[in-house]
Amino acid sequence: EYTIDSLRKLRENYNFSISDTISEEKKKEYKDYVIKKSKLYVSSYKKENKFKAYVFNKFILLKRILIPNRLDDLPFPELSKMNIIQKVMKSGYFMLLLLVNILGFLGSIYCMFRKNPIGLIPISLVTALTLIFGIAEQRYLVPVYPYFLVLGVFLLTECYGYFKRRKTQ
């Protein structure tokens, strides 16, 4: 029920709905159009692509929450206006975030396979956010970060111990 042209028109109407140069009455018309068409296009997408809509897209959200593609929440100007120190700090923070997220998530899975219930806490929250609520925002992971840190360090120590035992054999 939608084409690339209809999606472009939807984007254009959305831009009009948030424009400051148009009257409030006209903005409301554009907004109502955007809402109506968005609902129609989403339902059409779900009908035509059931697997993608209900399964595949959830895993894309999981990837987005664990490996974000941008960090705009830092108190620095945009990347093109930063000096080298700010760029290094932002890059370091981003790498640390990726490391904590990925190692913590893998550590949670590892703990679950070892039948340790501590791994259920972060896994259940991440699963609820992505698979149930469809949210992929870093701010909702704040309660999980302490678990991710501990479980990530646990995973690294387990790996270190495994390779050390393997080397001595």
Side-chain angles (χ1 to χ4, degrees), residues 68-140:
N69 55 358
R70 61 186 171 81
L71 285 176
D72 292 334
D73 300 332
L74 290 178
F76 292 127
E78 60 189 58
L79 196 61
S80 62
K81 295 179 182 174
M82 287 185 190
N83 62 36
I84 190 70
I85 294 171
Q86 290 172 325
K87 286 180 182 178
V88 168
M89 288 178 67
K90 190 168 189 172
S91 299
Y93 173 72
F94 186 69
M95 293 306 204
L96 179 64
L97 178 73
L98 291 179
L99 187 70
V100 169
N101 281 354
I102 293 169
L103 287 177
F105 189 74
L106 293 175
S108 300
I109 293 171
Y110 178 74
C111 281
M112 287 175 43
F113 280 118
R114 301 262 330 252
K115 296 188 174 39
N116 188 337
I118 193 77
L120 285 174
I121 295 169
I123 290 288
S124 60
L125 181 64
V126 170
T127 302
L129 286 173
T130 57
L131 302 181
I132 297 170
F133 298 120
I135 298 171
E137 291 186 36
Q138 288 296 307
R139 63 184 172 161
Y140 296 115

